[in-house]
Amino acid sequence: MEYSFQRFLEAKKRIDDRALNQRVWESLKTALIGAGGRDPVRILEIGGGIGTMLYRMLADGVLSRASYTLIDGDSENIRTAAVRLPKWLNALGLETVSRAGGLFIYTPVIAVDAELETADIFEFIDREAGQQQWDLIIGHGVLDHLDVPRLLPELCSLAYPGALLYFTVNLDGPVAFEPVLDPILDGRIVSQFHFVTHERRAGKNLSGSGPAGRHLFTCLEKAGLKILDAGTSGGVVFPRQGHYAGDEAYFLHFMVHAVEEALKDHPELEKSRLTEWAMMRHEQIEGAALSYISHQIDFLAQVSS
Ligand SMILES: C[S@@+](CC[C@H](N)C(=O)[O-])C[C@H]1O[C@@H](n2cnc3c(N)ncnc32)[C@H](O)[C@@H]1O
């Protein structure tokens, strides 16, 4: 099987749609009405992938007049966003005009100028601090990959006083695959995956115990941010009547592959047992017999005015 991160993100979209905490989403919509009063409202999305959150906000009527800066460290994601967003948005009845570095999205009542840029978040902050500010900063499924105690204060330098921060689907513990194959092996695989992926991407500076959405309660407050709302946003994938919806089987294959890749050289796991585990999980997906659960938390926070 070919593994494409962009296809994985597209498959993940509908899982995240179901997962997002609706109350926190509504809190965002309410708070956004009063945010800054700037017209257009200025939004920055970090680690925005292929643009699924921008699409989601337009599909749900959250945006009318906005300038939306989406950055991601992976240039293939940005290229994919530039190609896919116009197709997705046109299918919603929105007009789009592509331009160098982004696209303009409009209807008689919507005018959104979207900038799509390949950039590392920390380099972007260094470049933009003191130059530009935003009313809303979004990070969807991205804080798990970053050094959060370092990021939050730096990110605040890009925020207007009173700006909102919306951080969603933050993992709050190891993911789970059901049914369990071998309780000890399964437990070691998911907990090591949880720890290793975090350590590799974010360094050892989050909580000392891998990504955990709950630590954001402390991290946000330490960064001087007020938490306006928080709620769980668990991701659940399971087969119905022998089929996975949409491209969810691909999402599962990708997750199993990601676990195997991350742990293949792990000193505490026998490689042959890991390979066998992954093979059995792929077979379960083919037979529509695997379910997947991830516990996550959404946060809406605010910079002091
Ligand atoms: C799990 S993906 C989520 C993507 C997107 N938000 C979504 O949910 O579809 C995490 C994203 O963060 C991006 N990312 C990770 N570290 C980054 C960094 N230091 N700067 C910019 N983007 C980063 C990755 O390239 C990846 O696209």
Side-chain angles (χ1 to χ4, degrees), residues 14 58 79 83 116 144 154 202 208 210 215:
R14 54 183 294 141
L58 284 159
R79 269 196 291 278
V83 174
L116 308 172
D144 301 326
E154 293 193 24
H215 294 308

Side-chain angles (χ1 to χ4, degrees), residues 170-226:
N170 302 291
L171 267 176
D172 190 48
V175 300
F177 296 94
E178 183 65 28
V180 169
L181 296 173
D182 168 334
I184 295 174
L185 181 66
D186 274 304
R188 281 169 62 197
I189 287 175
V190 293
S191 59
Q192 287 303 336
F193 176 63
H194 186 63
F195 188 73
V196 165
T197 48
H198 168 71
E199 194 181 58
R200 191 180 61 209
R201 288 165 172 151
K204 294 178 183 166
N205 196 18
L206 178 66
S207 60
S209 59
R214 74 193 65 182
H215 294 308
L216 281 169
F217 284 107
T218 309
C219 292
L220 289 164
E221 286 192 350
K222 269 196 184 155
L225 294 157
K226 182 162 115 191

Side-chain angles (χ1 to χ4, degrees), residues 32 38-43 58 61-68 104-105 107-113 135:
L32 200 51
R38 262 167 294 278
D39 181 18
V41 63
R42 291 177 52 80
I43 300 172
L58 284 159
V62 180
L63 304 180
S64 50
R65 289 173 53 81
S67 87
Y68 196 107
F104 186 60
I105 304 151
T107 66
V109 289
I110 290 173
V112 176
D113 192 12
D135 298 294

